[in-house]
Amino acid sequence: MEIVPLAPGGPGIEMLLEDYRRRAGFPEALVLSALTEALASREARGFLALEGGTPVGLVVVSQEGQEGRIHLLHALPDHTRALPLLLEQAEREMARFRTLRALHATLPLLPGFELEAILHARGYRGAVRARMHLALGEHTPAPTLRSGYRLLPWDDTRLEEAVALVADTPSDDAWLYPEFAGRAGARRLLQGAVAGRFGRFDPHLSPMALSGEALAGFALATWHPLLPQEGFLLDLFVAPRHRGQGLGRALVLATATAFREAGAARLGLAVTLDNTVALRLYEQLGFQTEYRFAVFRKDLTPHGKG
């Protein structure tokens, strides 16, 4: 088996992408748009596994800041031995960037591919997440609040309050998403969302909950960058001392109502399956699971070697 760079004029990858799309259950437009965006704007590189000159596996990686990203890692079902070879090649490519502090991968869990075992063997930690959606219709219930709380649209003047809320709220996902640990990371996360990094941002679609004049929680949402007529709930935060008051439920319903009124047909989100409290809330509100995927992270030494 040979590993070669993906290059214009080389072997075609249409069969690999179609197999990936079909097995993962992704819309074709989502796969192609995500791959095109990665290769074009993030200066990503791809590598093919060839068997007898025929492409049987593909990996796409990129470097952004101090983090390397694996956008796609896939092989045809009868050639899964290509996966560890492609992953090793991706890591060698990323090792050229001496400033990298971590490698990150978001990959669908496909039956028979044992991706978790392959990545764990190379030092990655992982968490299984669910992609869920709520169909928005006239039956979407209106949010209700207990006395002393009120909702308002996202207010940029409260950014530092939101940063403090994120940084001071314990998160089981902090090891996976460093933005949840520390004010600098939280600030980058929120400023990036408001600036449109994750999709078009409209403050009326991201409600904040106040207790008196203090920020008690907020929902951070954008229009999905690739799926028309779909909103996406990026994050939901409720300050620990305000939990148990129904704020999480109210914020999600307020977000759903705002997107429905703005013309969206669906509201999507992703949740870590170990977060049973959030998962139960979303299921109670009518969110349906579309598919499951895994997020992996591998911390690196300052010299870019695992």
Side-chain angles (χ1 to χ4, degrees), residues 215-231:
L215 183 65
F218 65 91
L220 187 65
T222 67
W223 287 96
H224 196 288
L226 299 175
L227 300 177
Q229 290 188 305
E230 180 165 324

Side-chain angles (χ1 to χ4, degrees), residues 31-48:
V31 173
L32 294 178
S33 297
L35 183 60
T36 300
E37 187 266 345
L39 291 170
S41 66
R42 298 185 183 181
E43 299 182 357
R45 293 198 64 189
F47 295 90
L48 285 174

